[in-house]
Amino acid sequence: MTTEATLPPTSVSPTARQVWTRSRGIALAAVLLVAAAVAIAVIRSDARHGTLDPRSVDDLGSRAVAELLADRGVTTRVVTTLDEARAAADPDTTLLVAVPDLLTRRQQTLLHASTATSGGRTVLVAPGSWSVGRLAPDVTADPATSINSTLDPDCDLPAAQRAGAADTGGIRYTTTHLEADACYPSERLATLLRVPATGGGDTVVLGAPDILYNDRLDEQGNASLALQLLGSRPHLVWYLPSLSDASATGADDERSFFDLLPAGWKWGTLQLFVAAALAALWRARRLGPLVPEKLPVAIRASETVEGRARLYRKANARDRAATALRSTTRTRLAPLVGVPVTQAHAPEALLPALSAHLRGDGQTLHTLLFGPPPSDDAALVSLADQLDALEREVRRP
């Protein structure tokens, strides 16, 4: 019998090369996706602006309104901070607030304080319940929006009568102001309100931004209504609130991510969590103890051994294969030399009895039966041959 060399254990963990081979496809796809996104952003960044931007020529931009107002002598200036918007409040200025719900409570209060007595016009585009109560204190937003987009004026406001039907359907409003003009009603609730203010000014609350979009301007009376609402003063200041505008905000006034989510999304998420918990409980109750079943077909032992060997080889698990070979050999040898099977894996019990039976070197037997794992496939095959030879020698009469 030959003696195996003492070698370090073989690791079955994947190497860095194997990890890279398995993940390089995903990494390449991610790099290509990021590169494409950057390229598209660079190409489009020079000529595109956001929604309701008077500089944008996109379908949801408002460049067409700005051009028509310019033809009538109305100048349009875009501002993006609250300080600029407050400074623009003036009797000869119309201040349009594109997305009022982006403003914090403090910003809304300060903006209303600047516009309430300015004598100019303030146009609020689709303010929700978050903002309309502070920017227009006499107005309340209804939770349900209108079903139809195109509505008839049905009011005495001259601008609405001249424009006729328009796409104002969206958020609906009610007001307690006795002199307010309630126009374009949907189920008796207005989608456009004009609320007079002190100093000759007024506040216009518009339920939907559709009449300002480039692709909707030529439909219904949208253009006429937009020009009359925004062209009553010689100057138009277009305020595009931004989440990065930190002016006039306090530490306790910031809106969290959950404040920006509509109420329906919160309830929907809660229902999904409840459904997932119930499904998990239902599936868990169905699981019981394992029940052994007979195999539908008989599998030859040679096929089982061959399949298991292939799995060991695919994982480079020579250490586990060697452990299995040695353990099986020790289990078979123990009864042959008078050692209980329960002590077959204890070197101090098995090796003396085996050495006495063979009259051989105990150190060689220890290396063979309890030694380190083989370093390569050839060493593993050699170990299997030596174990077979040892068992045949013990069994020899």
Side-chain angles (χ1 to χ4, degrees):
M1 291 182 289
T2 59
T3 303
E4 291 184 277
T6 303
L7 296 172
T10 302
S11 174
V12 297
S13 301
T15 63
R17 182 186 182 115
Q18 291 174 329
V19 173
W20 164 247
T21 302
R22 297 172 185 174
S23 60
R24 61 186 177 184
I26 299 176
L28 179 60
V31 170
L32 292 177
L33 182 62
V34 172
V38 172
I40 293 174
V42 171
I43 294 173
R44 300 180 59 180
S45 62
D46 57 346
R48 293 182 179 268
H49 300 280
T51 302
L52 281 180
D53 194 319
R55 300 163 296 185
S56 174
V57 296
D58 293 342
D59 290 344
L60 301 183
S62 301
R63 178 69 175 272
V65 175
E67 293 291 341
L68 293 176
L69 290 171
D71 293 340
R72 288 159 176 76
V74 179
T75 62
T76 301
R77 179 166 63 95
V78 177
V79 298
T80 56
T81 65
L82 179 66
D83 293 337
E84 293 175 314
R86 296 179 63 194
D90 194 79
D92 61 353
T93 299
T94 298
L95 175 63
L96 181 143
V97 185
V99 191
D101 285 354
L102 286 181
L103 299 174
T104 64
R105 291 185 178 93
R106 181 174 175 79
Q107 288 176 318
Q108 294 166 11
T109 302
L110 292 176
L111 182 60
H112 175 68
S114 300
T115 59
T117 59
S118 66
R121 167 170 287 183
T122 303
V123 178
L124 306 176
V125 181
S129 56
W130 166 262
S131 59
V132 71
R134 279 175 288 273
L135 294 175
D138 299 323
V139 180
T140 303
D142 190 78
T145 59
S146 63
I147 299 176
N148 298 323
S149 174
T150 303
L151 301 171
D152 295 321
D154 196 15
C155 67
D156 297 331
L157 183 64
Q161 290 183 343
R162 285 191 291 267
D167 294 323
T168 61
I171 302 177
R172 304 184 303 166
Y173 304 97
T174 58
T175 180
T176 58
H177 199 291
L178 299 179
E179 299 181 2
D181 293 303
C183 301
Y184 297 98
S186 174
E187 298 182 1
R188 295 179 295 180
L189 295 182
T191 59
L192 186 150
L193 288 177
R194 190 195 72 86
V195 182
T198 58
D202 58 13
T203 298
V204 176
V205 181
L206 187 61
D210 297 34
I211 66 171
L212 303 176
Y213 290 152
N214 291 330
D215 65 337
R216 303 290 293 274
L217 195 63
D218 59 344
E219 299 177 5
Q220 312 300 330
N222 295 346
S224 175
L225 183 60
L227 294 178
Q228 292 181 82
L229 295 179
L230 304 182
S232 61
R233 269 78 173 170
H235 304 292
L236 171 62
V237 175
W238 203 292
Y239 179 27
L240 296 172
S242 171
L243 292 175
S244 61
D245 180 15
S247 60
T249 59
D252 58 344
D253 193 43
E254 297 181 357
R255 300 178 65 185
S256 66
F257 170 77
F258 295 100
D259 291 332
L260 299 176
L261 290 177
W265 284 91
K266 299 177 183 178
W267 283 109
T269 304
L270 177 60
Q271 293 176 17
L272 287 177
F273 275 114
V274 172
L278 292 176
L281 180 62
W282 169 63
R283 294 294 297 177
R285 292 189 63 183
R286 292 186 60 191
L287 299 177
L290 296 177
V291 178
E293 295 183 3
K294 295 182 178 180
L295 294 176
V297 295
I299 301 177
R300 291 186 298 176
S302 59
E303 294 181 2
T304 303
V305 172
E306 183 178 356
R308 191 167 185 176
R310 288 178 178 177
L311 290 176
Y312 281 144
R313 183 174 184 180
K314 184 176 182 180
N316 291 326
R318 287 182 291 272
D319 52 349
R320 295 187 180 183
T323 299
L325 290 173
R326 284 169 169 157
S327 176
T328 303
T329 301
R330 292 194 300 264
T331 301
R332 290 199 295 258
L333 289 177
L336 298 177
V337 296
V339 176
V341 177
T342 56
Q343 299 181 3
H345 308 296
E348 63 276 7
L350 178 64
L351 293 179
L354 194 59
S355 299
H357 185 81
L358 296 175
R359 298 181 180 85
D361 185 4
Q363 182 62 36
T364 302
L365 293 175
H366 184 279
T367 303
L368 179 61
L369 294 174
F370 297 96
S375 59
D376 52 29
D377 292 344
L380 180 62
V381 173
S382 176
L383 174 63
D385 293 339
Q386 294 177 46
L387 292 174
D388 286 340
L390 174 62
E391 186 173 349
R392 286 195 300 269
E393 185 175 354
V394 173
R395 292 180 181 276
R396 185 185 308 165

